[in-house]
């Protein structure tokens, strides 16, 4: 897999008898197909846990939501201790540029979730936004906040 703009982690992988490669998803606790986007997801989750102190018990991958009768799937969600979503993450393969279309996708998820933080990453470029619902302003942050510095108040 391609090199990412993230620390290197020892990520468990295997090759099936049919030749397909799989990667261990630490949040779903099972092997999943190794795609470029999945490679970004698994490395980014490791980054959040190991470098930023995010508790793995409060994160989930591949969360299905329904908006306007349409089934959508969020790449990753971080919850607070009261099981309220506080951050939604969208990943793209390293060859896919992060664009306005990417942000539109994750903003659509947020119409239902109403999270305070949005992260978008293709493994090379990472963007984090904080949404202040009181002032209705979106602030792009210079870095991914450490878990202990997140504003994850109960709504």
């Amino acid at each position: 897999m391609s090199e990412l703009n993230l620390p290197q982690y020892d990520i468990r992988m295997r090759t099936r008898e049919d030749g397909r490669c799989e990667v261990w998803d630490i949040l779903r606790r099972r092997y999943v197909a190794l795609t470029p986007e999945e490679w970004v997801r698994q490395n980014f989750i490791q980054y959040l846990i190991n470098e930023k102190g995010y508790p793995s018990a409060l994160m989930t991958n591949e969360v299905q939501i329904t908006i306007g009768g349409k089934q959508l799937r969020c790449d990753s969600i971080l919850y607070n201790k009261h099981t309220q979503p506080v951050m939604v993450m969208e990943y793209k393969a390293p060859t896919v540029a992060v664009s306005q279309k990417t942000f539109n996708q994750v903003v659509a998820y947020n119409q239902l979730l109403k999270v305070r933080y949005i992260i978008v990453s293709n493994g090379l470029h990472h963007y984090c936004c904080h949404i202040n619902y009181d002032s209705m302003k979106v602030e792009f942050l210079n870095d991914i906040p450490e878990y202990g510095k997140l504003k994850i108040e109960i709504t």
Side-chain angles (χ1 to χ4, degrees), residues 102-118:
T102 310
F103 280 96
N104 292 348
Q105 180 182 358
V106 75
V107 166
Y109 302 153
N110 202 37
Q111 290 176 349
L112 177 67
L113 298 172
K114 304 280 192 259
V115 298
R116 299 252 177 221
Y117 296 90
I118 292 173

Side-chain angles (χ1 to χ4, degrees), residues 96-149:
V96 176
V98 174
S99 65
Q100 185 62 50
K101 183 178 176 183
T102 310
F103 280 96
N104 292 348
Q105 180 182 358
V106 75
V107 166
Y109 302 153
N110 202 37
Q111 290 176 349
L112 177 67
L113 298 172
K114 304 280 192 259
V115 298
R116 299 252 177 221
Y117 296 90
I118 292 173
I119 291 179
V120 176
S121 176
N122 67 359
L124 302 174
H125 304 283
H126 322 296
Y127 301 93
C128 183
C129 304
H130 175 255
I131 303 168
N132 183 325
Y133 288 97
D134 295 329
S135 65
M136 295 308 293
K137 291 187 179 179
V138 176
E139 173 190 10
F140 277 83
L141 305 178
N142 293 328
D143 194 13
I144 309 296
E146 292 178 13
Y147 178 75
K149 294 184 179 175

